[in-house]
Amino acid sequence: MLKNKIIVVTGASSGIGEETARQAKNAGARVIAVDINPPKIDVDHFLQVDLGSKDSLDALLAALPSNIDGLANIAGLPPTKSVESVMKVNLVGLKYLTLGLIPKLSDGASIVNLASLAGLGWADSLAEIKASESLDFDNVNAFCDRHQIKGARSYFFSKEAVIAWTIQNRWTWRERGIRINSVSPGPVQTPIFQDFIDTLGVRAAEDMLTMDRPGRVEDIAPVVVFLLSDAAGWIRGSNIPVDGGMYSHILAGKSGL
């Protein structure tokens, strides 16, 4: 499915990123793993980077080749981390890396952003999302203070903004055949799973009872790999929930179904 394609996977040292890198490699890709920690699986190349640092990202962009076929933006921090760190890694760094890589992407390349079920209420945050278009590494704290983004709200907002940004850029690079989509997992058993339980508490426990089980990385990675492939060539600007039906459950409740 990805034979001979060069695929960059961020967050490749654990969780969904690790499984995406593994499955992309198995699908025939040459995988460039990007993370702050070295990967534990076989990849073609590893580049160490702090995705919350502009200087580190600039070094990464300089080191990456000029014929990349796919970018999987999987790296992310949980809501237990500081507001500044979450916003820098999950939103500012993701956008900075993606935009910086556009000149190095091959025609027909695919960008896949890992969003979250936590971001599916993005339409209710449009004012803040539009204001975040001016966000950079230097004004994160001021922005969050101005818009009352505190605690776990930083995680929810970062994912809302990623979904909206994905939709906005559905046709931005269409003349080169470059497409962008996102995947929104529900609760997934990864190394940061407990962080979500600790943050969301009773709400998360209730969600677990509603679902048949938490997700597994093996549930999410195949969807990312598919979106990276040529088979997904006419899927553009879409956000795909992969959550055991949780989003449909929420919509059904809101709609009285």
Side-chain angles (χ1 to χ4, degrees):
M1 184 178 286
L2 298 177
K3 187 175 181 180
N4 297 324
K5 290 185 180 292
I6 298 175
I7 303 295
V8 175
V9 180
T10 72
S13 70
S14 66
I16 297 171
E18 179 181 76
E19 184 62 20
T20 297
R22 178 187 289 110
Q23 293 198 18
K25 180 80 172 170
N26 290 343
R30 293 171 55 199
V31 174
I32 300 174
V34 173
D35 206 312
I36 198 166
N37 299 309
K40 300 179 287 294
I41 62 171
D42 178 42
V43 295
D44 295 280
H45 195 51
F46 168 62
L47 292 170
Q48 190 169 37
V49 63
D50 176 359
L51 291 161
S53 163
K54 180 179 180 296
D55 290 342
S56 188
L57 284 169
D58 284 338
L60 171 65
L61 288 167
L64 287 168
S66 297
N67 55 342
I68 294 167
D69 300 297
L71 168 63
N73 284 314
I74 310 296
L77 294 180
T80 49
K81 299 298 183 180
S82 73
V83 168
E84 181 180 16
S85 297
V86 169
M87 291 288 286
K88 283 184 175 181
V89 172
N90 293 9
L91 180 58
V92 180
L94 181 150
K95 291 170 69 173
Y96 189 85
L97 173 60
T98 303
L99 293 174
L101 265 188
I102 294 299
K104 292 193 170 190
L105 293 182
S106 303
D107 291 352
S110 174
I111 302 161
V112 183
N113 300 321
L114 196 76
S116 171
L117 179 67
L120 292 177
W122 63 269
D124 297 325
S125 303
L126 280 177
E128 293 86 355
I129 289 171
K130 290 179 179 178
S132 74
E133 292 174 3
S134 62
L135 257 178
D136 59 36
F137 291 97
D138 296 323
N139 64 4
V140 166
N141 286 330
F143 174 87
C144 291
D145 288 344
R146 189 179 312 118
H147 295 282
Q148 298 297 300
I149 297 174
K150 303 175 181 178
R153 175 63 188 148
S154 61
Y155 181 83
F156 282 75
F157 179 79
S158 70
K159 297 302 184 179
E160 290 167 356
V162 165
I163 293 172
W165 189 68
T166 300
I167 295 169
Q168 282 179 299
N169 286 287
R170 62 202 177 277
W171 291 331
T172 301
W173 309 287
R174 182 169 54 177
E175 71 280 359
R176 292 185 53 204
I178 296 173
R179 61 196 185 278
I180 186 169
N181 295 286
S182 60
V183 174
S184 283
V188 178
Q189 289 178 321
T190 69
I192 60 175
F193 179 72
Q194 190 60 45
D195 291 281
F196 291 96
I197 300 299
D198 293 344
T199 301
L200 303 178
V202 173
R203 175 179 172 180
E206 290 174 349
D207 286 349
M208 293 300 103
L209 291 174
T210 301
M211 302 171 69
D212 55 338
R213 61 171 175 82
R216 306 183 184 103
V217 294
E218 294 86 357
D219 297 318
I220 314 302
V223 182
V224 178
V225 170
F226 166 70
L227 289 173
L228 289 168
S229 76
D230 294 338
W234 216 43
I235 303 177
R236 300 171 185 172
S238 293
N239 177 64
I240 301 179
V242 186
D243 57 12
M246 194 66 201
Y247 182 49
S248 293
H249 174 74
I250 293 170
L251 287 180
K254 287 183 176 180
S255 305
L257 296 176

